[in-house]
Every structure is written in C-alpha cells, then in structure tokens.
C-alpha cells in the first residue's frame, strides 16, 4: 500500500477536516494533561493530605509512562494500523480521566494517571502519521500546522486554563473536563475515521521495547528523585547507571534484530534529524517559560491565578491562529525558510523575557507572551512537515512516535533544567541555598529569572543556527512524496 490510498478515496477526502478535528481534539487533551496539573498540585496536596514532593508524582508519572512507550506505540501503529492504535488510546485516555477525577487517595490518582498516559502515548505516537497519510501533499503543511496548534495549545494552556478552573471548581474537574469532550470525539471518530489501509504487519521488537521503556523510566525516575534528595545519593547514581546500561543495550539490540523498534538509518536523513533536534530545543525553551511565568505573575507581581491565567492564554491563542496560516504558506514556498523565521521570532521574545522586571507593564508582558506564541505558530507547523515528509509511508508511525517523544522529552528536560537553573541562580544571588520563592524578596527571584531566560535564549539561538545553516546549505531539498 502507498500513502495515496487515502488521498484517492473520495469518502476519506470528504471527511478529512472532520478527521483532523477528531485527531486534534485528543491531541490537545493528552498534551494539556501534561501541564494543567502543575497549577493544581498545591490543592491536590492539601486535599489528599500528602507532602508536595509526593504530589509532584502526579505530573511525573504521566510524563514517564508516555516517554517510555511512545516508540512502541508508534511501531504498533505502523504494524497494526495507526487508526486502530489511536482509537484504543482514546478509550483508555477517557477512562483514565474519569478515574483521575475522583478524590480518593494518591495511589488511585497515580494509577489513573498511568491509564491516562497509556492512552495519551497511543494517540500522540500516531496523530501526525494519520494526518500525513490522509492529507494530500499540497495541504499537508496546513493540516500538520493545525495539529501543531492543538499540541501547543495543550502544552502551554495548562497553567492558564487550570488557574481559571480552580478558581471555581474542585481539582477533579481538570480531569473530568476530558470525559464529555472525549466521548463526543470518540463517537465522531467511529463515524468518520476510515479503516486502516497501511499495515506492515511486522513483528514487534519486544526486547527493544522493554529496554527502551526501562531506559526512559529509570532515567526520569532518577532525575525527578534526584531533584528531591540530591544527585549524589547511591539510589540516584544506581538509577542513572542502570539507565545507561539499558540505553546501550537498546542500541545493541536495535542494530542486530531483523525488525528493530527504531531504525537508526532514519537519522542519516539530515532533515529528519535536525528538525527533531530543533523541535526538542524549542520545547525545552518553551517550558522554561511555562515553569517560571506563574512565579513571576503570581508571586513577584501578586496577581490572582485567574488573572495570571488570562495573561498566559495570549500564547496559545496567538499560536492556534498563526500555525495553520504558517502551514499553508509552507505548502507554497517550502518549510525551511518558514521554520527559520519562526525561530528568529522566538529568539527575540526570549530577549524580551530577559529584560522583564517588576516595573514592566503587564500589557507589554502580555504582548511578549503573544509574540512567542506567534513565533511558535510559525515554527511548529513547517518543522512537523519536514519531520513527517522526510520518511517513507511505512515509517510514518515511528516518525510520529519520535516527534512526540522529543516533544515530551523537551517538556521534561525543560521543567527539570529550568527549576535547576532558577534555584541555582537564586541561591548564588542570595548566598544561601534556595529551593522556593522567597516572600518579600522579589529581587532574588528576578535575578534567577533573568539567568534562566539567558539560558533559554542560548538554547533557542542554537536551534536558529542549526536551521539557518540547513537553509544556506540545502535550500531546495525535496521531501518524500514530492514529484
């Protein structure tokens, strides 16, 4: 089978935008759940009578399970059909959301988050592959741009939407919100999603899947626990060592099995590899902002969560408008130049954050927040197009899994790295160890914030340099599927 099977199917093409809406809604919800919980952690901690470090696992367990299983579910999508795997994921995600909303105990909540993460990883690994298969080449950038809008909207809207909901409702509703929307989307999906046409039916690399999951789980458990108890503890060193062993074992297995989970030959494609790297760097950059901005608005500036949430909503609102437009333009002029322009705008916005202090007008800060959404809207859609168009149709699932994996890795690294930089800089300025916002001393936080955004600016500049170099060296490189 080829990717043109869906393109020449009149029924599929008639419903392609409904298919995009169904896929996009679940993409939004699964990505949202990685970020919306952060702002509810103090409330969850109080209601369940647990310390804050235990409450943090409500976020961590979700990200760990997703990262551990994305490649497996991407490969399953290639083998058994992306739509089959996506449908199963939607059911699990809605079930997990329903269970997570009940105010029982921490173990019930963590178990529900694991079920949610299983479903989310199934949908995340296959959403871009489904869209790439269904949409013709001349509309692919626009369609992937809209999926990128859903991803970005979910990733960055969490603090804002969560803050507004918690002002009026118990914390369980941040999970229960998914249930009615999810049920409606499942029903729509049953009607309009076509049967899978592209299935490789390859055997799944079970040992590779197991070692990959163990590598991701042990590495991130080590990182999250290390932030709590210190990275020199024997337990943490043991987890990191085990992760390295599993990582090396995974590479060895993948180079010696007939049907590997991940074909390393894919990385020989420069467009694929560099676009994944740039996507990772930009999600790291974005989550510096995601972590630091609530501290700035609520602690340093003294705003209520609902007002802070409204300001932060400028980012996703602008991006969700711009991304489809950028995707449409990239269909006409090529994606490389558009991605570079987007990165330059993101870089400029990071400089704006660096110059922000306690006297900065909230209107100006809101404009900067919207500006970074503008840059991301221009960057994400064509970058996704490059990734998904750089591989053959039979590898779309694993390419989509890799794209989702680097996105989630960027979120995890961004959260852990930004907090490390922020509190290290605050400790340096204060001359004593700092692990939280210090009431009555906003200057300490502002110093840490400026250092953090300096690092974010450097990370973004690296992505811009990589993309600029590619633009100069290979400005007209054709994509797979182009004639």
């Amino acid at each position: 089978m080829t990717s043109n099977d869906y393109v020449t199917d009149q029924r599929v093409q008639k419903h392609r935008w409904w298919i995009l809406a169904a896929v996009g809604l679940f993409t939004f919800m699964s990505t949202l759940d990685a970020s919306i919980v952060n702002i509810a952690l103090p409330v969850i901690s109080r209601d369940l009578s647990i310390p804050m470090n235990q409450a943090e696992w409500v976020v961590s367990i979700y990200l760990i399970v997703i990262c551990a299983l994305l490649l497996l579910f991407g490969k399953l999508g290639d083998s058994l059909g992306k739509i089959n795997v996506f449908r199963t994921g939607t059911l699990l995600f809605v079930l997990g959301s329903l269970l997570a909303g009940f105010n029982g105990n921490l173990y019930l909540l963590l178990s529900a988050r694991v079920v949610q993460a299983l479903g989310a990883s199934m949908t995340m690994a296959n959403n871009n592959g489904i869209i790439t298969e269904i949409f013709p080449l001349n509309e692919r950038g626009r369609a992937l741009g809209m999926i990128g809008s859903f991803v970005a909207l979910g990733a960055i809207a969490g603090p804002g939407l969560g803050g507004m909901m918690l002002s009026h409702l118990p914390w369980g509703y941040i999970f229960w919100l998914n249930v009615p929307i999810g049920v409606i989307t499942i029903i729509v999906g049953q009607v309009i999603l076509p049967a899978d046409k592209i299935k490789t039916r390859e055997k799944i690399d079970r040992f590779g899947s197991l070692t990959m999951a163990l590598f991701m789980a042990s590495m991130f458990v080590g990182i999250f626990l290390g932030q709590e108890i210190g990275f020199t503890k024997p337990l943490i060193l043991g987890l990191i060592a085990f992760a390295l062993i599993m990582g090396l074992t995974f590479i060895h297995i993948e180079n010696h099995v007939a049907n590997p989970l991940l074909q390393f030959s894919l990385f020989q494609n420069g467009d694929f590899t560099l676009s994944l790297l740039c996507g990772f760097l930009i999600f790291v950059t974005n989550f510096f902002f995601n972590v630091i901005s609530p501290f700035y608005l609520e602690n340093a500036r003294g705003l209520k969560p609902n007002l802070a949430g409204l300001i932060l909503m400028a980012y996703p609102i602008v991006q969700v408008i711009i991304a489809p437009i950028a995707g449409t333009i990239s269909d006409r002029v090529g994606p490389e130049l558009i991605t570079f322009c987007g990165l330059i705008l993101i870089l400029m916005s990071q400089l704006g954050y660096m110059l922000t202090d306690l006297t900065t007008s909230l209107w100006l800060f809101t404009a900067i927040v919207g500006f970074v959404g503008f840059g991301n809207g221009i960057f994400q859609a064509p970058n996704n197009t490059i990734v998904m168009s750089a591989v053959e149709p039979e590898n779309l699932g694993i390419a989509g899994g890799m794209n989702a994996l680097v996105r989630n890795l960027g979120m995890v690294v961004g959260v852990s790295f930004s907090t490390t930089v922020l509190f290290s800089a605050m400790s340096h300025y204060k001359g004593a160890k700092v692990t939280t916002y210090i009431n009555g001393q906003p200057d300490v936080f502002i110093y840490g914030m400026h250092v953090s955004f300096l690092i974010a600016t450097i990370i973004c500049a690296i992505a811009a340099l990589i993309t600029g170099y590619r633009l100069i060296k290979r400005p007209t490189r054709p994509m797979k599927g182009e004639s």
Side-chain angles (χ1 to χ4, degrees):
M1 294 291 179
T2 68
S3 60
N4 290 327
D5 288 328
Y6 289 121
V7 175
T8 57
D9 187 320
Q10 291 186 356
R11 181 182 178 278
V12 170
Q13 292 306 302
K14 179 181 178 181
H15 296 111
R16 66 188 185 277
W17 295 107
W18 280 105
I19 293 171
L20 178 85
V23 172
L25 270 176
F26 257 100
T27 300
F28 166 75
M29 289 191 295
S30 58
T31 311
L32 176 74
D33 263 55
S35 62
I36 194 172
V37 182
N38 284 300
I39 202 164
L41 289 182
V43 182
I44 293 173
S45 174
R46 184 180 66 248
D47 283 4
L48 297 182
S49 301
I50 56 175
M52 195 65 181
N53 62 334
Q54 290 184 20
E56 289 283 354
W57 282 99
V58 178
V59 176
S60 303
I61 196 73
Y62 185 79
L63 293 172
I64 289 170
V65 172
I66 287 175
C67 289
L69 297 177
L70 274 170
L71 290 186
L72 170 61
F73 288 132
K75 192 68 174 180
L76 277 173
D78 286 333
S79 179
L80 305 178
K82 299 172 190 61
I83 292 172
N84 286 335
V85 175
F86 185 90
R87 278 179 166 149
T88 304
T90 59
L91 292 171
L92 285 174
F93 183 78
V94 170
L95 175 61
S97 298
L98 177 64
L99 295 174
F102 291 107
N103 189 342
N105 57 58
L106 178 63
Y107 300 106
L108 173 62
L109 180 55
L110 293 181
S111 299
R113 291 289 278 170
V114 169
V115 176
Q116 266 193 309
L118 283 169
S121 58
M122 288 180 174
T123 60
M124 287 181 181
N126 290 282
N127 54 8
N128 280 339
I130 291 170
I131 298 305
T132 303
E133 285 180 354
I134 285 175
F135 278 81
L137 187 65
N138 65 335
E139 292 181 341
R140 188 177 297 166
R142 181 184 176 192
L144 288 173
M146 294 181 75
I147 290 294
S149 293
F150 285 113
V151 169
L153 189 62
I156 203 68
L161 183 59
M164 288 187 285
M165 290 184 68
L166 289 170
S167 299
H168 305 284
L169 297 167
W171 60 263
Y173 282 85
I174 66 176
F175 300 114
W176 283 344
L177 174 68
N178 296 328
V179 177
I181 300 174
V183 169
I184 292 170
T185 310
I186 288 172
I187 293 171
V188 172
Q190 284 296 116
V191 175
I192 54 93
L193 283 177
D196 278 297
K197 292 185 177 182
I198 301 175
K199 301 179 184 180
T200 65
R201 301 192 185 280
E202 290 182 353
K203 291 184 178 180
I204 300 301
D205 174 17
R206 295 180 181 178
F207 290 110
S209 301
L210 177 62
T211 52
M212 181 63 174
L214 290 173
F215 164 67
M216 286 290 175
S218 55
M219 180 175 66
F220 286 125
V221 169
I223 290 173
F224 290 133
L225 280 178
Q227 287 188 306
E228 291 181 24
I229 66 176
F231 287 96
T232 59
K233 300 290 185 182
L235 173 62
I236 305 304
L237 294 176
L239 284 169
I240 299 300
F242 181 73
L244 291 174
I245 293 171
M246 287 298 99
L248 293 173
T249 304
F250 173 75
I251 293 172
H252 176 78
I253 291 172
E254 299 309 282
N255 285 324
H256 291 85
V257 296
N259 298 306
L261 182 68
L262 176 61
Q263 295 180 11
F264 288 107
S265 59
L266 288 175
F267 296 104
Q268 295 174 6
N269 185 314
D271 288 324
F272 178 78
T273 303
L274 292 179
S275 294
L276 283 178
L277 176 59
C278 288
F280 168 76
L281 293 174
I282 292 306
F283 264 89
V284 172
T285 301
N286 288 342
F287 269 75
F288 266 70
F289 167 79
N290 209 30
V291 168
I292 293 170
S293 56
F295 282 107
Y296 172 72
L297 292 173
E298 295 180 42
N299 295 94
R301 300 298 295 264
L303 302 184
K304 293 182 179 180
N306 56 344
L307 180 55
L310 285 173
I311 292 174
L312 295 178
M313 288 295 285
Y315 182 126
I317 288 171
V318 172
Q319 178 158 346
V320 80
I321 295 170
I322 294 299
I325 299 172
T328 302
I329 295 173
S330 74
D331 287 334
R332 298 177 180 175
V333 304
E336 289 87 354
L337 177 61
I338 307 300
T339 57
F340 181 70
C341 292
L343 288 171
I344 294 300
L345 293 177
I346 298 171
L347 183 60
M348 292 170 62
S349 68
Q350 300 306 307
L351 294 172
Y353 289 146
M354 281 180 59
L355 298 175
T356 297
D357 57 26
L358 295 174
T359 63
T360 302
S361 163
L362 290 177
W363 286 109
L364 176 59
F365 182 77
T366 305
I368 297 172
V369 173
F371 192 70
V372 75
F374 187 83
N376 269 277
I378 292 176
F379 166 75
Q380 296 289 350
N383 193 65
N384 287 338
T385 301
I386 295 172
V387 171
M388 300 306 295
S389 298
V391 301
E392 300 294 345
E394 62 269 19
N395 289 318
L396 284 174
I398 198 64
M402 283 297 301
N403 203 21
L405 178 59
V406 298
R407 182 172 70 238
N408 283 277
L409 285 175
M411 292 164 63
V412 174
V413 172
V415 169
S416 57
F417 191 27
S418 62
T419 52
T420 301
V421 172
L422 175 65
F423 293 129
S424 295
M426 290 172 67
S427 298
H428 173 75
Y429 183 86
K430 177 73 173 173
K433 186 173 179 60
V434 176
T435 58
T436 187
Y437 184 89
I438 305 175
N439 291 323
Q441 299 184 45
D443 56 311
V444 177
F445 169 76
I446 294 298
Y447 176 83
M449 184 181 79
H450 287 164
V451 173
S452 299
F453 282 125
L454 172 62
I455 300 300
T457 301
I458 293 171
I459 294 170
C460 184
I462 293 171
L465 289 172
I466 291 171
T467 303
Y469 175 79
R470 178 175 63 187
L471 184 63
I472 294 171
K473 297 295 288 185
R474 296 178 300 185
T476 58
R477 185 179 178 90
M479 298 293 159
K480 297 288 181 184
E482 285 185 300
S483 56

